[in-house]
Amino acid sequence: MQVIAAMWYLSVVILIVLAWLARRWMNRRRQGKSAPPESIVLFHSHPISLNATTLAQWFGAAAGCEVEVIDSSEETGVEPDEPAPTSWLTGQSPHFICCIRGTMFMAHNLSAPYMTDPLGASQGQMEMRLSKAIKEHKAWASVDVLHPQEATAENYRIVAMVAAKMVGPDCLALYSPKLSKFAPCMGDETIEKLLSADPLQAVFVEHGTVPVIPMQSDDPRLLAAEAEARSRFHEFESAFNSNSNGGSHFSVKTMITRGDNSEHIWVDVTRIEGETLLGLLGNEPVDLGDLKLGSEVSLDRSQVEDWAIMRGGELIGAFTLTALQNAHPADSGGDKQ
């Protein structure tokens, strides 16, 4: 009797998994004609390792309950006179299904690109960090709400909290099928946003990362903006030297080269010593070797392309931003590559 009950229980679970996978396959092949999955997708440079025990702990912590692991490889189950668990998880990599008090979730980690043509998809992405992530990712993971009608704010918070556990050094970007939006992965900052009250808004709408967009270096609008910034750099230096009590934020834009890659990037200035400016990288580079957000760098005064002062919520300078906004209105506030 025990074996029969277990086999029936597992058969139902397997049928649900297969039905969901078939629906997901059809949805992706229909290219958006059906409702997109209610999920958060993570693009990785390498596959991550997932197992049922770890996932059950993650889901349990997110939902505030104990999640029982059901081993689908064994013919075991609950005793006939015992109630079935209200929260459980089963499956094995790359697909898992989890029930939290009646709401069904899925988790996946696949060793393949998320889209059929990542190179083509990357060419349609203006933001260069995201373009690089789409083009170069080799694996993806996701956490989904199985039934769209159950994609409540609370269930999306469970999805986001479990997704936060999948963020690591190999995570390149995140994607929301519901919003059709990408966001670059910023490590701890992204984890913090996933754990916020409204993770979709925080990660994909208000991610606040300075976008890096392409622009021709000989564009006359850009050249004029850089010339104005250099001619007025004395204003920046004077303000920096007089900022003895703090309260203002000072940044300059310069070109930094590592190997064969060069990027025009903002640097938060910490000191000015003669002709040398020292500071920390103010935004995440696309591909500058070991340089990351916050890395220490130095530059010569002659390398300054733009400058900006943030004082009391007011932005002073940032001359090239206007040129970039005029060139790419949809990418307001962008940076150039």
Side-chain angles (χ1 to χ4, degrees):
M1 185 70 179
Q2 176 181 347
V3 172
I4 294 174
M7 291 299 293
W8 176 85
Y9 188 78
L10 292 175
S11 296
V12 171
V13 170
I14 292 171
L15 285 174
I16 292 174
V17 173
L18 292 176
W20 188 92
L21 291 174
R23 182 174 70 89
R24 181 182 182 89
W25 185 87
M26 289 297 295
N27 283 348
R28 291 183 64 185
R29 292 304 182 271
R30 289 171 184 165
Q31 298 180 349
K33 293 181 180 179
S34 298
E38 301 282 349
S39 63
I40 294 177
V41 183
L42 303 93
F43 287 14
H44 289 102
S45 59
H46 298 89
I48 63 173
S49 176
L50 288 181
N51 60 70
T53 300
T54 299
L55 270 177
Q57 294 172 350
W58 290 353
F59 272 105
C65 65
E66 183 177 353
V67 176
E68 182 175 329
V69 176
I70 299 174
D71 190 345
S72 58
S73 65
E74 298 180 2
E75 294 185 359
T76 58
V78 296
E79 294 291 341
D81 57 346
E82 291 183 359
T86 58
S87 299
W88 49 265
L89 182 143
T90 191
Q92 56 187 351
S93 196
H95 304 295
F96 302 85
I97 187 167
C98 180
C99 176
I100 303 291
R101 296 184 287 264
T103 299
M104 307 300 288
F105 298 86
M106 296 289 294
H108 313 274
N109 66 311
L110 283 87
S111 305
Y114 182 73
M115 58 278 296
T116 56
D117 181 15
L119 179 59
S122 69
Q123 293 172 349
Q125 175 60 241
M126 181 67 72
E127 214 285 339
M128 297 192 69
R129 277 182 295 254
L130 295 178
S131 177
K132 183 173 185 287
I134 295 169
K135 180 173 60 178
E136 297 185 358
H137 81 285
K138 298 294 188 289
W140 62 275
S142 74
V143 187
D144 309 24
V145 181
L146 181 58
H147 303 297
Q149 66 271 22
E150 295 180 339
T152 63
E154 179 57 34
N155 286 337
Y156 248 116
R157 280 193 288 271
I158 293 175
V159 166
M161 290 177 72
V162 176
K165 295 291 189 179
M166 301 180 182
V167 174
D170 290 338
C171 187
L172 305 175
L174 291 84
Y175 175 63
S176 167
K178 178 180 181 179
L179 301 177
S180 295
K181 287 183 176 292
F182 291 91
C185 184
M186 306 297 289
D188 290 343
E189 179 182 334
T190 294
I191 292 175
E192 182 179 350
K193 292 179 183 298
L194 285 169
L195 299 180
S196 66
D198 190 348
L200 287 186
Q201 180 77 10
V203 174
F204 298 104
V205 180
E206 299 175 349
H207 57 74
T209 303
V210 177
V212 181
I213 59 177
M215 187 171 182
Q216 294 296 327
S217 59
D218 59 353
D219 187 295
R221 294 166 296 186
L222 187 62
L223 294 176
E226 292 177 351
E228 182 177 5
R230 291 188 180 102
S231 69
R232 297 175 56 181
F233 184 72
H234 63 278
E235 299 176 27
F236 176 93
E237 188 170 16
S238 176
F240 182 86
N241 291 332
S242 64
N243 190 44
S244 57
N245 295 325
S248 296
H249 185 83
F250 297 85
S251 299
V252 297
K253 184 192 283 186
T254 187
M255 184 175 74
I256 295 179
T257 300
R258 287 293 186 274
D260 296 330
N261 297 320
S262 295
E263 297 181 27
H264 301 259
I265 196 165
W266 287 96
V267 175
D268 298 332
V269 178
T270 56
R271 301 197 309 278
I272 298 179
E273 299 178 353
E275 297 295 309
T276 302
L277 286 72
L278 300 98
L280 309 175
L281 285 190
N283 52 282
E284 190 72 29
V286 177
D287 188 4
L288 288 179
D290 59 348
L291 292 183
K292 305 296 180 184
L293 175 69
S295 293
E296 295 184 353
V297 294
S298 63
L299 62 141
D300 189 81
R301 181 193 303 264
S302 63
Q303 296 174 282
V304 172
E305 300 175 338
D306 196 1
W307 55 265
I309 303 172
M310 182 63 72
R311 178 184 296 150
E314 179 186 4
L315 180 63
I316 304 169
F319 306 97
T320 59
L321 291 185
T322 301
L324 290 164
Q325 289 166 358
N326 290 337
H328 302 284
D331 297 284
S332 179
D335 195 7
K336 75 181 177 70
Q337 169 64 18

